[in-house]
Amino acid sequence: MASSPIEATLPPEENNTQHLQVKNTSKTLKFFKCPIFLDIETTGLHSDDRIVSLSIVRCLLNDEKPTVEVMNLVFDPLKKSHPMAEKVHQLDDWMLRHQDVFGQHISEISEMLESGDCLVAHNANFDISFLEREFERWGQPMPQKPVFCTMVEAQQQGWRPANLSACISRIGMQRQSSQHLAVEDALMCMGLWWHWLGIGAVQSDPQSWPKFSNLRPFPTRPNTLPRRDNKKKLATFYQTPPEEE
């Protein structure tokens, strides 16, 4: 990807913030000119779970219409999703095991994250912690940026409840898909940011959402799934595969 990093314009006391929760106030928002909105879907909620999909929305706030670029990726997490997690994201294990692993796209992910001046997510601690662990697993440093949490901002504004669905309903938006999609959540997160800045509404047309750009074809699902062979898969792509947990 050819995007160039854009320098953040922050008050002096915040210039050195690195993956720390920046002070969430509406006054802080205006200092970020190229926020990166992101969301992930995972195999579960624990530290040993993995990312199955990642959506990153880069928004360049210029003097005219904001410029938006979206990256939407799916991964083989090298493990089966928890039944409740799979019910949420609806990404079948058979399909996932035929996809690329996170490490195969880590350079383009890093470049996209590096091109913004802050990272924004709803319940950011969850998303950022999973991303940091993925980068660590593949032996790469995750770009260091200030982190902004739209859930924390909503709570500070007295919005209760502060889950994403409830927050977007306050600004006249609603979910368009019954499937929990990372790309929709990232766009909804951007919608909250635009609302607080007074930019306008984010148009949420499912037909315009980008599909997984790295989706690989996969054979018909068998009645009984064979056991995974993660070592063989990793060896196919890497001469020295990262150590599995």
Side-chain angles (χ1 to χ4, degrees), residues 96-110:
L96 289 175
R97 66 174 67 185
H98 290 87
Q99 305 308 313
D100 296 341
V101 291
F102 187 95
Q104 290 174 260
H105 296 274
I106 199 166
S107 294
E108 61 191 287
I109 293 169
S110 182

Side-chain angles (χ1 to χ4, degrees), residues 78-97:
L78 301 176
K79 66 181 297 183
K80 184 175 174 57
S81 293
H82 185 279
M84 290 302 295
E86 185 171 330
K87 185 177 180 180
V88 172
H89 59 61
Q90 298 180 35
L91 298 175
D92 179 69
D93 181 61
W94 180 247
M95 180 275 283
L96 289 175
R97 66 174 67 185

Side-chain angles (χ1 to χ4, degrees), residues 132-145:
E132 288 178 329
R133 285 193 292 270
E134 285 292 352
F135 272 85
E136 182 178 359
R137 286 185 181 105
W138 296 98
Q140 298 291 328
M142 179 174 167
Q144 299 293 295
K145 298 288 178 179

Side-chain angles (χ1 to χ4, degrees), residues 111-140:
E111 185 178 352
M112 185 71 145
L113 296 178
E114 188 63 54
S115 70
D117 54 19
C118 71
L119 307 180
V120 188
H122 204 79
N123 191 11
N125 286 338
F126 178 84
D127 298 79
I128 297 302
S129 63
F130 266 88
L131 277 173
E132 288 178 329
R133 285 193 292 270
E134 285 292 352
F135 272 85
E136 182 178 359
R137 286 185 181 105
W138 296 98
Q140 298 291 328

Side-chain angles (χ1 to χ4, degrees), residues 31-85:
F31 293 109
F32 298 107
K33 302 304 179 184
C34 188
I36 298 289
F37 303 93
L38 58 89
D39 191 77
I40 61 173
E41 298 301 328
T42 66
T43 60
L45 303 177
H46 302 293
S47 59
D48 61 345
D49 280 303
R50 307 293 293 268
I51 295 175
V52 299
S53 68
L54 166 66
S55 185
I56 303 175
V57 179
R58 179 179 180 270
C59 179
L60 178 58
L61 300 173
N62 47 43
D63 294 333
E64 300 177 356
K65 184 178 180 180
T67 302
V68 176
E69 180 181 359
V70 181
M71 172 184 289
N72 196 29
L73 301 172
V74 64
F75 311 108
D76 178 3
L78 301 176
K79 66 181 297 183
K80 184 175 174 57
S81 293
H82 185 279
M84 290 302 295

Side-chain angles (χ1 to χ4, degrees), residues 5-16:
I6 296 177
E7 297 296 328
T9 306
L10 294 172
E13 66 270 18
E14 294 188 76
N15 276 338
N16 294 322

